[in-house]
Amino acid sequence: MCVSQAATVMPLFSRSRSDALREVHKYSGPEPMQDAKVNPNVYDHVHMKLFRAQRNLYISGFSLFLWLIMRRVVTLLNQAAVTLESSAGLQAQMESAVKAAKQNQEDNLRLKQALLDEENSLSAKNQQLKQEVEKLAGQLKTAKEAVNKSDAEVEAMKRQAKGLAHEYDRLLTEHHQLQNLQSSEDKKDQ
């Protein structure tokens, strides 16, 4: 109920209530007993009018009470409608927030899985590289051993070549000496 309707209804209640009060007061006063002896219906008529006035007073009071209750009910219904509307908006916001939270949680799980996969991949690559390094270290060790062995062989060959060169020089000098000796014997023979 709007304010203008409440303003027009309120004077109606107060007028009917004031009329009912006035009527009850009018018929509740001292009863005319003299008229009751002359006309016995007057007494019943006065009580009937009093009963109707009281009835109207109760009806108007009860109507006023119901009007106040109805006004409060309408106010509560309006508040409930506004609350329902705002709760529907809040419900939509909550649903979008829950949806966004679920999406973020799924993205987070996907990123964790990708990070775990990448970490596993890096771990596997790291393991493979360690094995390759160990393999290359073994090859390097064998290559160093081969180099050392070949260096030792080269040294041995150098010593042998040096020894052979000394032997060659000794044999050459011996050969020259023998040739000189033979040529001197040939000269003597001649």
Side-chain angles (χ1 to χ4, degrees), residues 1-12 67 71:
M1 204 177 258
C2 66
V3 175
S4 63
Q5 288 176 341
T8 58
V9 171
M10 192 64 177
L12 291 175
W67 178 80
R71 183 172 178 196

Side-chain angles (χ1 to χ4, degrees), residues 13 17 54-70:
F13 282 128
R17 185 172 171 102
Q54 288 174 342
R55 181 198 63 190
N56 289 344
L57 177 66
Y58 291 137
I59 288 174
S60 64
F62 190 66
S63 297
L64 178 63
F65 176 72
L66 287 179
W67 178 80
L68 290 173
I69 289 178
M70 286 178 57

Side-chain angles (χ1 to χ4, degrees), residues 84-99:
L84 185 64
E85 184 177 319
S86 66
S87 70
L90 290 175
Q91 181 73 22
Q93 285 179 348
M94 184 195 64
E95 287 174 0
S96 65
V98 165
K99 191 175 185 181

Side-chain angles (χ1 to χ4, degrees), residues 5-190:
Q5 288 176 341
T8 58
V9 171
M10 192 64 177
L12 291 175
F13 282 128
S14 64
R15 189 174 345 129
S16 66
R17 185 172 171 102
S18 65
D19 286 345
L21 276 174
R22 188 173 41 79
E23 288 290 318
V24 167
H25 187 50
K26 176 177 161 184
Y27 293 113
S28 293
E31 297 179 16
M33 288 306 218
Q34 302 89 348
D35 292 340
K37 291 182 183 179
V38 174
N39 193 358
N41 287 336
V42 170
Y43 182 75
D44 290 335
H45 186 68
V46 168
H47 279 289
M48 181 188 67
K49 293 257 184 183
L50 178 62
F51 171 75
R52 286 182 181 166
Q54 288 174 342
R55 181 198 63 190
N56 289 344
L57 177 66
Y58 291 137
I59 288 174
S60 64
F62 190 66
S63 297
L64 178 63
F65 176 72
L66 287 179
W67 178 80
L68 290 173
I69 289 178
M70 286 178 57
R71 183 172 178 196
R72 180 64 181 154
V73 166
V74 167
T75 304
L76 290 175
L77 285 175
N78 283 339
Q79 288 176 351
V82 168
T83 305
L84 185 64
E85 184 177 319
S86 66
S87 70
L90 290 175
Q91 181 73 22
Q93 285 179 348
M94 184 195 64
E95 287 174 0
S96 65
V98 165
K99 191 175 185 181
K102 283 183 181 177
Q103 183 66 30
N104 288 340
Q105 192 175 22
E106 290 172 2
D107 291 345
N108 191 13
L109 287 175
R110 261 188 264 127
L111 289 174
K112 280 183 181 179
Q113 186 62 36
L115 184 63
L116 185 63
D117 291 344
E118 186 175 332
E119 188 176 294
N120 289 340
S121 172
L122 288 176
S123 177
K125 283 182 181 179
N126 194 13
Q127 189 67 24
Q128 186 180 13
L129 288 175
K130 281 182 182 179
Q131 289 175 353
E132 195 172 320
V133 164
E134 288 175 4
K135 179 182 167 187
L136 290 176
Q139 288 177 355
L140 180 63
K141 186 176 180 182
T142 56
K144 278 185 180 180
E145 289 174 358
V147 166
N148 287 338
K149 186 177 179 182
S150 64
D151 281 346
E153 287 177 3
V154 166
E155 278 298 318
M157 288 180 102
K158 279 184 183 178
R159 281 191 309 251
Q160 189 178 11
K162 196 175 185 184
L164 284 175
H166 281 301
E167 184 66 28
Y168 179 74
D169 286 340
R170 185 186 67 78
L171 284 175
L172 189 61
T173 54
E174 198 178 299
H175 177 63
H176 276 296
Q177 285 176 355
L178 283 176
Q179 263 188 353
N180 282 341
L181 195 80
Q182 190 178 20
S183 85
S184 69
E185 277 186 17
D186 277 343
K187 280 189 192 181
K188 279 186 188 178
D189 280 346
Q190 282 187 346

